[in-house]
Amino acid sequence: MVLLLGAGSAAHAATPPPEFGTDWDDPRTATPPIAKPGGPSCTVRIVNNEFVNFDPFVGSYAPPAECAGPWQMVVLTLHGAVKGRQFDRLGRLALGDTTIFKTSTPEPSADGIAWTVEKDVTAYSDLLAGPQQVTMWLGNVVDDTYTGILDIQVDLTFYPGSRPTGTPDDVLPFTGVTSEGPDRTGSVTVARNTERLVAEVYATGSGGGCEEFWYLTAPSSTGYSCPADSGPYREVLVDGTVAGIAMPYPHIYTGGWSNPFLWYAVPAPRAFNVMPIAYDLSPFVGQLTDGKPPQVRVRVLGVSAGQSGWEVPTNFLAWRDVNSTQVTGALLASRVSDLGMSVTTSPNEVNVTAAHEFTANGYVQTSHGRVTYNVHRTVGNTSRHTWGAQENPDALKAEWTDNSTVVAAGHQPSVTVNNARYAIDGSISVSAENRVTTTLTATDAAIHSTVGSGPSSRWTLDDTFTGTASWTLGVPRPDRHATGTSRQRYQLHGDACYDHTLATVNGYFTEDSSGC
């Protein structure tokens, strides 16, 4: 099936304009819509605000009386609108002290755009069962130059029914945090009958400056305009009493790579829905159920001391042994390898090869017998960053891998394997005529499988964006004569098939096709 669509009519797609104008199609992505249950539902609006400064929105939430729960699904929906001139902004939404959603915004046209983002938040059902304070941070600047007011509504839609198997029993905040930024120390208190624990870290290099483009930083000795003493390698660690390693996703926001024209209609993967990094901490649970909150540290490896530019809000998801008042156990072994990293520099070039490995093995003694957990995770990065005189051209070819295996042996054995791969291949150049051209391919890919006593699941993901855009520097907006093409193909194969492609020319959709 191939459909030709524009925001207003198919005529846009049939005859896209020769260059960008004052308007373009509303942004959207090729990601699959959430498959919602049939039957009745209830919707609660938790945010309705115009963001014009850096003051957070503060409101309240109460579960809907007419859909009191349990719920088979809960869906968060953000509706946004903005017009005029504005940068991309990074937003975060919390219930109580728990982050449930993180996003970045598109940059607007003069005539205005609207967009929608959905997220399945059923995993936070325990948190949603009672009243909570709602806080949304979406810092913005509105003045005579940057006129775009971010008009945001956020709804929660509840679908009554039996809670899905595997939904966490507890959603726990990261408490007593003593520092902010890329290195945070705090604690978590778990119930005494907890038998499984997962940490979520919504890690983003953000807030402007070089850490927003951490993968392009270079050692100070190179003279590159975004210096970092140790180079561009970053890794997000959870340590202290508990431990885990992970590769951060290389987010590209909608003003990224010196070319907002590249992202006006189709953003880069994950730009609108920033997903948390998950760490299975179950091997450590046996030593956490004594009622004494352990110290937990979340930090970004590779960021110099005192360096800002990273956010790492953290939550914990816990599963209980309902037939036990006290789960005991022990950590049997835990090892983090030395970081194997090579950073080589030559005039106008940085090459990085890095690898890191983590293993942990522990057990819990439950009402249904002993359960042993084994976690194995490896992360790696290869990148080649080159640039010319005055950093023109400036190019990066990089790949990141994050491979994990979690084995649970006992009453309900299971093996979960997730092998993730992220890649960027892009360049920026400025011609003699002062035309900026950005060409970029970004990929978010994974292979996943879960087998065991419960339902099995296998799928592969390939979400790839490709595009190129050009505009003229140093002239008024009407004289920029910007042009651009973009294409996103989202392929998900396994238990079901989903294959969706979007393509644009100068801000208007020229293809919306499905391959399954």
Side-chain angles (χ1 to χ4, degrees):
M1 173 177 69
V2 177
L3 303 175
L4 297 180
L5 301 173
S9 70
H12 284 156
T15 56
E19 61 184 46
F20 278 88
T22 60
D23 197 16
W24 44 82
D25 278 342
D26 290 342
R28 61 183 191 263
T29 74
T31 54
I34 295 173
K36 305 174 185 69
S41 64
C42 305
T43 297
V44 177
R45 177 150 290 178
I46 60 172
V47 176
N48 186 9
N49 192 56
E50 292 184 338
F51 290 88
V52 298
N53 53 34
F54 282 83
D55 294 338
F57 167 84
V58 179
S60 61
Y61 158 79
E66 60 274 33
C67 293
W71 307 295
Q72 57 182 312
M73 179 176 282
V74 185
V75 176
L76 179 151
T77 306
L78 178 145
H79 304 281
V82 62
K83 64 182 296 184
R85 185 179 179 187
Q86 195 51 264
F87 289 118
D88 56 285
R89 304 295 184 181
L90 189 67
R92 179 166 69 92
L93 176 66
L95 293 186
D97 295 323
T98 301
T99 296
I100 66 169
F101 179 61
K102 200 169 188 180
T103 187
S104 66
T105 62
E107 295 197 6
S109 66
D111 295 347
I113 59 169
W115 73 102
T116 299
V117 185
E118 289 185 329
K119 180 182 179 181
D120 185 342
V121 293
T122 311
Y124 301 116
S125 291
D126 172 65
L127 184 72
L128 297 167
Q132 300 287 347
Q133 177 175 292
V134 177
T135 309
M136 186 168 185
W137 296 264
L138 185 58
N140 193 20
V141 173
V142 176
D143 55 27
D144 292 341
T145 301
Y146 300 103
T147 58
I149 296 171
L150 292 164
D151 185 11
I152 302 295
Q153 293 79 43
V154 179
D155 296 329
L156 293 172
T157 301
F158 298 81
Y159 297 87
S162 298
R163 183 183 287 196
T165 302
T167 302
D169 296 305
D170 298 315
V171 180
L172 306 171
F174 191 28
T175 59
V177 177
T178 58
S179 59
E180 297 296 332
D183 193 337
R184 310 179 78 200
T185 300
S187 61
V188 59
T189 301
V190 305
R192 289 180 179 269
N193 62 340
T194 298
E195 63 175 333
R196 184 183 172 214
L197 184 67
V198 170
E200 293 186 322
V201 180
Y202 285 84
T204 52
S206 52
C210 290
E211 286 302 311
E212 184 169 327
F213 309 100
W214 49 269
Y215 40 80
L216 284 169
T217 60
S220 303
S221 60
T222 64
Y224 188 73
S225 59
C226 268
D229 292 341
S230 59
Y233 184 78
R234 301 290 181 271
E235 189 179 308
V236 185
L237 285 78
V238 177
D239 55 17
T241 302
V242 293
I245 66 174
M247 191 58 62
Y249 184 80
H251 296 97
I252 302 175
Y253 308 115
T254 58
W257 282 68
S258 303
N259 213 319
F261 296 98
L262 199 57
W263 320 107
Y264 278 146
V266 178
R270 302 200 193 190
F272 286 175
N273 186 5
V274 175
M275 295 185 290
I277 302 170
Y279 302 78
D280 198 313
L281 307 177
S282 301
F284 301 88
V285 166
Q287 60 186 30
L288 304 180
T289 56
D290 59 1
K292 300 176 182 178
Q295 185 181 78
V296 181
R297 183 184 182 194
V298 180
R299 61 190 175 100
V300 182
L301 185 67
V303 178
S304 301
Q307 174 72 51
S308 61
W310 278 84
E311 290 183 355
V312 287
T314 302
N315 314 316
F316 299 87
L317 308 177
W319 290 258
R320 299 194 194 193
D321 176 4
V322 296
N323 295 315
S324 173
T325 57
Q326 172 81 57
V327 167
T328 59
L331 176 69
L332 300 175
S334 177
R335 187 183 75 87
V336 179
S337 71
D338 293 335
L339 174 62
M341 183 170 67
S342 169
V343 180
T344 60
T345 63
S346 58
N348 299 359
E349 183 173 331
V350 176
N351 288 278
V352 176
T353 301
H356 211 186
E357 182 179 14
F358 166 78
T359 58
N361 180 262
Y363 75 91
V364 288
Q365 196 67 42
T366 73
S367 64
H368 43 262
R370 175 173 289 201
V371 179
T372 302
Y373 295 103
N374 185 277
V375 173
H376 180 241
R377 195 160 188 169
T378 59
V379 298
N381 170 221
T382 58
S383 71
R384 182 173 183 262
H385 180 193
T386 60
W387 59 92
Q390 299 180 324
E391 298 178 12
N392 180 30
D394 196 349
L396 174 73
K397 186 170 185 178
E399 181 177 272
W400 300 263
T401 57
D402 189 330
N403 301 326
S404 66
T405 300
V406 179
V407 179
H411 175 61
Q412 293 181 322
S414 65
V415 179
T416 299
V417 178
N418 193 81
N419 296 333
R421 181 179 66 87
Y422 320 132
I424 293 177
D425 187 353
S427 66
I428 306 168
S429 62
V430 181
S431 70
E433 296 76 28
N434 229 23
R435 293 280 291 177
V436 178
T437 298
T438 304
T439 299
L440 188 138
T441 298
T443 298
D444 179 11
I447 301 173
H448 178 94
S449 68
T450 298
V451 296
S453 56
S456 296
S457 175
R458 292 181 176 85
W459 50 261
T460 61
L461 166 70
D462 188 326
D463 182 7
T464 297
F465 171 97
T466 57
T468 185
S470 301
W471 58 283
T472 303
L473 277 170
V475 298
R477 283 179 168 253
D479 299 325
R480 289 180 174 178
H481 300 298
T483 60
T485 61
S486 65
R487 183 180 185 89
Q488 181 194 14
R489 185 178 183 186
Y490 191 105
Q491 301 175 78
L492 184 63
H493 299 285
D495 301 329
C497 178
Y498 181 87
D499 189 345
H500 189 190
T501 299
L502 296 174
T504 73
V505 175
N506 298 332
Y508 287 91
F509 285 93
T510 57
E511 181 184 354
D512 187 336
S513 63
S514 297
C516 289

